[in-house]
Amino acid sequence: MKDIHINNIIRTVREKIINVNIILNDDILNSIKCNIKVEESNCGKDILEQILENANIAEKEKLAICQDTGMVVAFVEIGQEVRIVGGSLEEAINEGIRKGYKDGYLRKSVVLDPLIRLNTNDNTPAIIHYNLVEGDNLKISLLPKGFGSENMSRLAMLKPSHGIEGVKSFILETIEKAGPNPCPPIVVGVGIGGTFDKVAIMAKKALLRPIDIKSDINHIRDLEEEMLVKINRLGIGPGGLGGRVTALGINIDIYPTHIAGLPVAVNVSCHATRHGEILL
């Protein structure tokens, strides 16, 4: 057994949540630089260049990339040979987030009750998904998700008869309806299969995969490439002001499902798609 003390979890979560809010991931940076050359709209090029300038300033000045520092989603993989000591794992994760948002001067955006709307003033609680795995490691993937893009996400319980064309239509329809609202260029996470709850989690988790790493399943990789082309043909463009670069990438994950169902979820994310991983 490997013991991991909650103080170590608190410290590393605090550091990581600050970093992911101020430093744009390399895959996103590289994609934006490449897409400046692809974008035909002068306005679109200007917006992409401003995004790069904003990222440089944020990293240099230790400021948030965006004023919406999101609600934190955490995917936790716990090795069967790991023992958490000193307290609660869930409270340790939330305490690290609490400290990170305070010390990093990040906006607190979480309300305690969705109807009364009273701010918790520390950006907790996080949404935490747990998975028990083999080994003696603890992996925590953090994804602070802004709601300009989250609000544009959709889920459909399609029938098997809709087939792959129905899935394609739903993805395109979701992005077209989103228009400029999720602050394009966007990153798109898609889940296909499972159940109503599983498919939504899959779509969210798909956003953790770097956009330059495609699916290792041949027909899903082909679908990712096809849908990225079709999304960028919608003409929404950077900032929603027209152009070729509406999306930087699309990641699709699948899971077995029931013979009577074809669940599909689309989780839309802004260009930043902030995320980072802790391995203890």
Side-chain angles (χ1 to χ4, degrees):
M1 294 292 289
K2 180 167 76 175
D3 290 349
I4 300 178
H5 199 280
I6 63 163
N7 288 343
N8 196 13
I9 297 169
I10 293 170
R11 177 183 57 81
T12 52
V13 168
R14 173 197 171 277
E15 292 172 356
K16 183 61 68 173
I17 204 63
I18 292 174
N19 284 341
V20 299
N21 269 293
I22 65 176
I23 300 174
L24 206 57
N25 289 33
D26 286 342
D27 60 318
I28 300 293
L29 276 172
N30 292 335
S31 179
I32 293 171
K33 289 175 182 176
C34 290
N35 275 296
I36 288 176
K37 302 172 184 177
V38 172
E39 182 55 66
E40 296 174 347
S41 160
N42 289 330
C43 180
K45 284 182 181 290
D46 287 343
I47 291 171
L48 294 175
E49 288 169 354
Q50 288 171 30
I51 287 173
L52 290 180
E53 182 182 5
N54 179 77
N56 290 333
I57 294 171
E59 185 170 356
K60 180 180 179 181
E61 302 294 334
K62 307 296 184 191
L63 298 170
I65 297 168
C66 175
Q67 83 282 358
D68 184 353
T69 51
M71 185 174 192
V72 181
V73 181
F75 289 91
V76 182
E77 292 185 4
I78 311 169
Q80 293 176 138
E81 304 303 319
V82 168
R83 181 171 61 183
I84 307 300
V85 296
S88 160
L89 171 59
E90 186 153 326
E91 182 49 40
I93 293 171
N94 278 313
E95 181 62 15
I97 292 168
R98 193 175 290 119
K99 288 179 177 292
Y101 274 77
K102 178 183 177 183
D103 298 344
Y105 301 99
L106 305 173
R107 193 181 83 182
K108 290 82 173 175
S109 303
V110 176
V111 294
L112 186 61
D113 185 302
L115 300 179
I116 297 175
R117 315 298 294 182
L118 182 66
N119 200 299
T120 64
N121 293 317
D122 60 12
N123 221 61
T124 68
I127 307 297
I128 306 177
H129 303 287
Y130 296 98
N131 189 25
L132 189 62
V133 298
E134 294 181 352
D136 63 355
N137 290 322
L138 174 66
K139 184 168 80 170
I140 304 173
S141 300
L142 299 171
L143 176 70
K145 189 70 165 58
F147 265 58
S149 58
E150 187 76 354
N151 286 339
M152 297 298 104
S153 303
R154 299 171 71 216
L155 186 154
M157 301 300 291
L158 301 181
K159 298 176 182 178
S161 58
H162 286 108
I164 190 169
E165 293 306 319
V167 171
K168 292 176 185 178
S169 295
F170 181 72
I171 295 170
L172 279 178
E173 179 186 279
T174 298
I175 305 307
E176 192 166 21
K177 286 185 175 181
N181 295 313
C183 300
I186 57 176
V187 176
V188 184
V190 177
I192 306 172
T195 56
F196 180 88
D197 51 332
K198 175 68 174 178
V199 76
I201 296 171
M202 288 164 55
K204 179 64 62 58
K205 192 173 183 180
L207 294 173
L208 294 174
R209 178 168 26 116
I211 58 175
D212 54 359
I213 297 178
K214 309 317 293 179
S215 174
D216 56 4
I217 303 171
N218 289 339
H219 70 281
I220 300 301
R221 182 170 60 251
D222 291 343
L223 183 59
E224 289 173 341
E225 293 172 355
E226 178 185 347
M227 294 313 298
L228 182 59
V229 170
K230 288 183 174 179
I231 288 170
N232 283 331
R233 284 177 180 166
L234 291 174
I236 296 169
L241 298 175
R244 290 187 61 182
V245 186
T246 297
L248 300 175
I250 176 169
N251 294 340
I252 301 174
D253 287 341
I254 62 171
Y255 196 82
T257 191
H258 191 277
I259 56 172
L262 181 56
V264 56
V266 180
N267 198 226
V268 184
S269 188
C270 67
H271 83 271
T273 309
R274 299 154 294 189
H275 59 84
E277 181 183 296
I278 297 164
L279 187 63
L280 298 174

